[in-house]
Amino acid sequence: MAYVDSRAFLDAAVLARLSRLALSARGPMNGSVTGIHKSATRGSSVEFAEYRKYVPGDDIKHVDWQVYARTDRFYMKEFEADTNLRCTIVLDCSASMSFDAGHGSKFDYARRLAATLAYLLVHQGDSVGLLCFGDGTHHDIPPRHTPSHLKHIFDTLSDVTPGGKTEMVQTIHDLAERIQQRALVIVLSDCFTEIPPLLDCFQHMRFRKHDLAVFHLLDRQELNFDFDRPIRFVDIEGSFNMITDPSIIQSGYRKELDRYLEGLKLGCREFGVDYRRVVTDTDYEKVLAAFLLQRMGGGLSR
Amino acid sequence: MTFLNPILLWGLPAALLPVAIHLLNRLRFRSVKWAAMMFLISATRSSTRRARLRHYLILLCRVLVILFLVLALSRPTIGGWLGGTMAGAPDTVIILLDRSASMEATDLRRQCSKREHALRLFAQAAAESAATSRFVLIESVLRTPHEIATPAVLAGLALASATDTAADIPAMFQAALDYLIRNKTGRTELWVASDLQASNWLPQRRDWLQLGAQLAALPQDVRVRLLALSDGYQHNVAVGLQHAQRRVGATPQTLGLALDISSAVPRPDVFPMIITLDGTRSQVDLTLNTPTLHYQRNLELLAGKPAGGWGKVELPADDNLRDNSCYFVYGDDVPLAAVVVSDTPAVARYLRLAASPVSGRFGRACEVLAPREAATMAWQELALLIWQAPPPCRRDGAGDPDVRHRRWHGPLSSSREKRPCRGRRAVRGRAARPPVGRHRHGQHRQAVSRTGMGST
């Protein structure tokens, strides 16, 4: 773990504690090697799957002779296949992720989540890739399961900086088309874009039978909007600015934000997206522990 | 409304502090890089109007809170009928009614005099508390407390009618104070109706300080409510008679009138003055360029007329009808007859000389009578009676009330010995009333005048 100690976004103690948990897929995956996840195809594990009729060309070693003795017909005994997981971590590197109200930016938080998840995945034998998108920033690392690949991911996470506008919708659409096999896609973003196109790309991802998990990162100040004097708000992704009295628009802001969050949550639930709203002043270990435990249980976040 | 701590009213500008802070905050803003601009823009677009209105209402509430705080610390006392309504019904209400002539000024809007208007307001104000309060009237003429059922009856009372007199407001307050001390009333209100004439209120009198201290020292709660009817006269010209003097030496005989004509504001326009003498009217056109005009005029008396007569001076109607006319009379000199009743000749001689130093001159004559001859006196013709003898008494020994002592002179009587009365020695008669007006020695004729204007 020499490459872990030198990363500011990795905590060895947290990694050690979380290593006891496994990151499970919610559905069958199409992996390249044997792993701990259920495969979409039949395999040679010890777990019985089903019977099917013999067809010429089948390997006769899977014929269930006891059934043949009773029924005088050939039936093939099939077993579940265990495969590995191909995961792609999508990290939003737009400038809005650099918002920092005093206890760390959303991007730093997302980077810790991404690095920890990548470590856990590689160490359980799964492949992990990284896609960083932003205005002028684009890093696409395909999924691999080797430790050297993990180091490459960490190096990329160290080098990348947030900036520019959000191109999240198009990026996810492209990714959904590009990933050929069933995979787990983990999105780390503040999702500051319109809900309908965002849900469209989520739906696209689900249509391609990918397991999609979204970590919606929000700062506490963005949720509460607790300012006490007139402020000139400068758009962090552009030059637009507006001077307003927060006490005047506070209720309206909260109402708009609640409406947005509720719409996004309902949309994600409708399309089977594992949606998690994360406030960045929360301990990321707890967030990941809850995520892993719920995945092990096979459910969606509520 | 008055304030017990008026100096704290200087803190009223502090009510503008929230506005100043609001403006300063608008000018002093800091910049924040913000990510969730989409919600900020939506919120600004959708709810700015209502939120801004609510914000300004909150600002207004803050201003009002400071305003009310400063006003409360200034300890306001609410006067007028609002204060009376909020304080509840008092136990006793003492009405101090200014009945001076100036209170008869007519307000053209109300079509009634100030006094009538005050009585009407009193009746309205007392309508709610009439069942629980006791009402006492102290008016400016008698200054004697009279308990009344309700102020509604004041309009029909002679005690509240118009007079031509002046008012002594400090004396009225003193009468009210005496009543409060004597009757130990509970919570009391003094309702004062006046037009605030300085000649009635006498602000230079030192009694006010003593009155204020005494009222403040009373154990009961006493409130003074002033119905100030101080609206000045818009158009009022007053006429007063200074003297009317008959001159018999000239031919034909004339009557010299000296009038004081005054107006609150100068009257450069011409207005008529009607002088009536023995039924004959004459008109004089006047202008008033100064507040006061001293006007003199000789009126020719008709030859062959009786020795006496009368007349009046009238001005056109204006706001105050009470000072628009004055009356005068004239006539021959009436010799002042005096009688000394004494049973001591030496004393009677000195008293006679005191009453009439030179018999037959200066219009004075004096006669000395013994007490037993007193019954023969012609009381109607007497101007002075000096009784230097035991007073006449009835058969039962009590003092004879039939003997009419005149206050305006007062009988000089002395009793060196008391003797019981043995028979009825009632002396009946009526002393001659002395002439009202100015009496000047050395004048052959004397005019008797009476003005119709009271002092205001």
Side-chain angles (χ1 to χ4, degrees):
Chain A
M1 293 181 51
Y3 53 86
V4 172
D5 297 335
S6 60
R7 316 291 180 176
F9 45 80
L10 284 175
D11 187 342
V14 173
L15 291 177
R17 286 192 291 269
L18 292 179
S19 294
R20 302 168 190 171
L21 304 175
L23 174 55
S24 305
R26 291 184 295 162
M29 291 286 124
N30 288 332
S32 56
V33 296
T34 302
I36 62 171
H37 307 283
K38 185 185 294 184
S39 174
T41 60
R42 299 297 172 220
S44 56
S45 69
V46 296
E47 188 174 353
F48 172 76
E50 62 182 352
Y51 285 106
R52 69 171 173 83
K53 286 186 177 179
Y54 170 81
V55 292
D58 285 341
D59 192 352
I60 58 172
K61 69 178 180 181
H62 294 302
V63 175
D64 192 334
W65 299 107
Q66 293 180 348
V67 174
Y68 173 74
R70 288 197 298 267
T71 62
D72 200 19
R73 291 176 183 175
F74 293 107
Y75 282 96
M76 302 298 293
K77 192 175 183 181
E78 291 191 336
F79 296 89
E80 296 285 352
D82 291 332
T83 186
N84 70 333
L85 174 71
R86 300 168 67 88
C87 175
T88 300
I89 299 175
V90 180
L91 178 61
D92 185 359
C93 295
S94 63
S96 63
M97 291 290 286
S98 65
F99 179 76
D100 183 3
H103 45 264
S105 67
K106 292 182 284 187
F107 183 77
D108 292 339
Y109 198 92
R111 194 157 49 181
R112 279 199 292 271
L113 291 178
T116 307
L117 286 171
Y119 178 89
L120 294 176
L121 284 168
V122 169
H123 278 261
Q124 71 181 13
D126 294 328
S127 300
V128 61
L130 178 66
L131 174 61
C132 302
F133 66 92
D135 192 9
T137 304
H138 193 85
H139 297 279
D140 189 2
I141 302 174
R144 301 277 193 278
H145 63 278
T146 60
S148 60
H149 180 70
L150 186 60
K151 181 175 181 299
H152 179 45
I153 288 177
F154 289 163
D155 290 339
T156 304
L157 286 176
S158 298
D159 296 338
V160 73
T161 55
K165 292 182 179 299
T166 302
E167 300 292 342
M168 182 176 176
V169 173
Q170 189 58 43
T171 301
I172 293 179
H173 275 300
D174 293 344
L175 184 65
E177 288 297 325
R178 192 148 35 89
I179 303 176
Q180 297 299 324
Q181 298 176 327
R182 295 181 182 184
L184 169 63
V185 178
I186 300 175
V187 177
L188 305 171
S189 172
D190 53 11
C191 300
F192 284 159
T193 185
E194 296 297 327
I195 291 181
L198 190 62
L199 292 180
D200 280 346
C201 69
F202 289 168
Q203 187 181 15
H204 186 190
M205 191 67 78
R206 291 293 294 157
F207 178 75
R208 299 283 293 177
K209 303 188 185 319
H210 300 309
D211 186 2
L212 179 61
V214 176
F215 285 85
H216 189 186
L217 304 176
L218 292 169
D219 194 277
R220 180 69 64 187
Q221 197 169 40
E222 289 174 335
L223 286 173
N224 295 340
F225 200 69
D226 47 355
F227 297 97
D228 57 351
R229 51 185 294 187
I231 289 176
R232 178 168 62 187
F233 292 99
V234 181
D235 188 2
I236 206 167
E237 293 184 357
S239 59
F240 176 75
N241 67 82
M242 60 185 300
I243 300 173
T244 185
D245 191 342
S247 61
I248 294 178
I249 63 170
Q250 187 179 49
S251 62
Y253 174 88
R254 287 178 178 173
K255 193 180 299 179
E256 289 289 327
L257 182 62
D258 291 343
R259 186 180 59 80
Y260 170 83
L261 295 177
E262 192 64 23
L264 185 59
K265 184 177 180 179
L266 290 177
C268 288
R269 181 176 297 173
E270 180 182 356
F271 299 131
V273 178
D274 188 3
Y275 172 80
R276 294 176 180 276
R277 186 184 305 160
V278 179
V279 184
T280 55
D281 58 356
T282 313
D283 186 6
Y284 76 99
E285 182 185 357
K286 294 181 180 176
V287 174
L288 285 178
F291 172 69
L292 297 175
L293 287 172
Q294 196 163 9
R295 286 250 161 190
M296 290 174 72
L300 280 175
S301 65
R302 301 179 69 182
Chain B
M1 179 183 293
T2 57
F3 298 90
L4 299 181
N5 290 328
I7 194 168
L8 291 181
L9 292 178
W10 287 102
L12 280 180
L16 296 177
L17 276 179
V19 180
I21 292 173
H22 169 74
L23 294 177
L24 281 177
N25 278 338
R26 285 185 66 86
L27 294 176
R28 296 176 58 192
F29 53 81
R30 60 189 175 98
S31 295
V32 170
K33 288 188 175 180
W34 192 250
M37 287 298 286
M38 52 185 294
F39 310 116
L40 207 59
I41 295 171
S42 299
T44 306
R45 193 182 301 138
S46 62
S47 63
T48 296
R49 187 176 300 171
R50 284 179 55 192
R52 196 177 296 276
L53 177 63
R54 190 176 64 226
H55 183 74
Y56 285 135
L57 286 177
I58 292 173
L59 185 64
L60 178 65
C61 290
R62 289 172 179 165
V63 169
L64 290 178
V65 164
I66 297 180
L67 197 65
F68 287 139
L69 183 65
V70 172
L71 288 177
L73 290 177
S74 302
R75 298 180 63 191
T77 56
I78 301 175
W81 310 116
L82 177 61
T85 304
M86 294 175 64
D91 298 328
T92 306
V93 176
I94 300 179
I95 298 174
L96 304 182
L97 180 62
D98 180 0
R99 296 173 64 195
S100 61
S102 59
M103 286 288 285
E104 300 308 314
T106 302
D107 189 337
L108 296 179
R109 291 173 303 170
R110 305 188 199 101
Q111 294 297 319
C112 64
S113 66
K114 293 179 179 179
R115 180 186 53 80
E116 293 169 339
H117 180 58
L119 296 182
R120 195 175 303 159
L121 290 181
F122 281 159
Q124 293 174 1
E128 294 182 357
S129 60
T132 58
S133 300
R134 188 172 56 169
F135 294 92
V136 178
L137 172 67
I138 296 178
E139 42 78 35
S140 59
V141 176
L142 299 178
R143 298 196 291 270
T144 305
H146 295 278
E147 190 161 340
I148 58 176
T150 171
V153 304
L154 285 176
L157 281 182
L159 280 173
S161 61
T163 68
D164 292 334
T165 60
D168 187 347
I169 302 294
M172 294 168 65
F173 270 94
Q174 185 63 52
L177 179 64
D178 295 341
Y179 179 85
L180 291 174
I181 295 174
R182 191 167 56 249
N183 293 280
K184 294 182 175 56
T185 59
R187 197 162 65 83
T188 306
E189 288 187 358
L190 301 182
W191 293 0
V192 186
S194 174
D195 55 353
L196 304 183
Q197 295 278 326
S199 57
N200 297 331
W201 282 78
L202 307 171
Q204 73 280 2
R205 286 261 288 269
R206 295 187 176 181
D207 301 357
W208 282 113
L209 295 176
Q210 189 178 359
L211 277 172
Q214 287 178 316
L215 281 173
L218 287 174
Q220 62 263 47
D221 181 20
V222 179
R223 295 170 182 266
V224 178
R225 304 196 183 279
L226 174 63
L227 176 58
L229 304 165
S230 57
D231 299 338
Y233 301 123
Q234 295 295 326
H235 303 288
N236 181 39
V237 182
V239 60
L241 179 68
Q242 192 179 37
H243 65 259
Q245 185 175 348
R246 183 179 181 184
R247 297 184 176 87
V248 297
T251 303
Q253 295 183 11
T254 58
L255 177 68
L257 285 181
L259 303 172
D260 286 330
I261 302 169
S262 60
S263 174
V265 293
R267 290 286 301 271
D269 55 324
V270 178
F271 61 94
M273 181 173 70
I274 308 296
I275 300 176
T276 304
L277 177 64
D278 295 331
T280 305
R281 293 164 57 93
S282 60
Q283 177 175 331
V284 178
D285 293 333
L286 295 175
T287 58
L288 269 179
N289 294 320
T290 57
T292 303
L293 172 65
H294 184 67
Y295 179 79
Q296 288 186 328
R297 184 179 177 86
N298 289 325
L299 302 176
E300 185 176 335
L301 298 175
L302 295 177
K305 286 285 292 180
W310 68 279
K312 70 174 180 179
V313 181
E314 296 172 283
L315 291 177
D318 52 22
D319 289 351
N320 190 2
L321 301 177
R322 305 286 296 182
D323 58 3
N324 290 341
S325 62
C326 63
Y327 292 84
F328 59 90
V329 295
Y330 65 93
D332 290 332
D333 278 347
V334 178
L336 301 178
V339 169
V340 174
V341 179
S342 175
D343 51 2
T344 308
V347 175
R349 179 168 171 269
Y350 287 116
L351 291 176
R352 185 181 60 78
L353 287 174
S356 176
V358 181
S359 180
R361 295 193 61 185
F362 307 121
R364 296 172 183 271
C366 184
E367 184 182 2
V368 177
L369 295 176
R372 62 178 178 277
E373 299 170 340
T376 63
M377 284 190 298
W379 292 91
Q380 294 83 353
E381 299 173 358
L382 285 183
L384 175 64
L385 170 63
I386 301 174
W387 190 283
Q388 194 273 322
C393 52
R394 284 191 287 188
R395 196 180 300 273
D396 56 2
D400 192 346
D402 292 337
V403 178
R404 299 181 178 180
H405 301 277
R406 289 297 176 184
R407 280 187 174 182
W408 35 269
H409 273 165
L412 293 175
S413 62
S414 66
S415 174
R416 286 176 296 184
E417 57 180 348
K418 293 183 179 178
R419 291 182 298 181
C421 296
R422 295 188 176 178
R424 179 181 179 83
R425 296 200 301 176
V427 181
R428 294 179 181 274
R430 178 166 173 259
R433 188 184 181 87
V436 177
R438 299 175 184 273
H439 184 157
R440 296 190 175 186
H441 290 283
Q443 294 179 357
H444 190 65
R445 298 288 183 185
Q446 180 184 11
V448 179
S449 66
R450 178 173 177 267
T451 176
M453 189 187 81
S455 172
T456 58

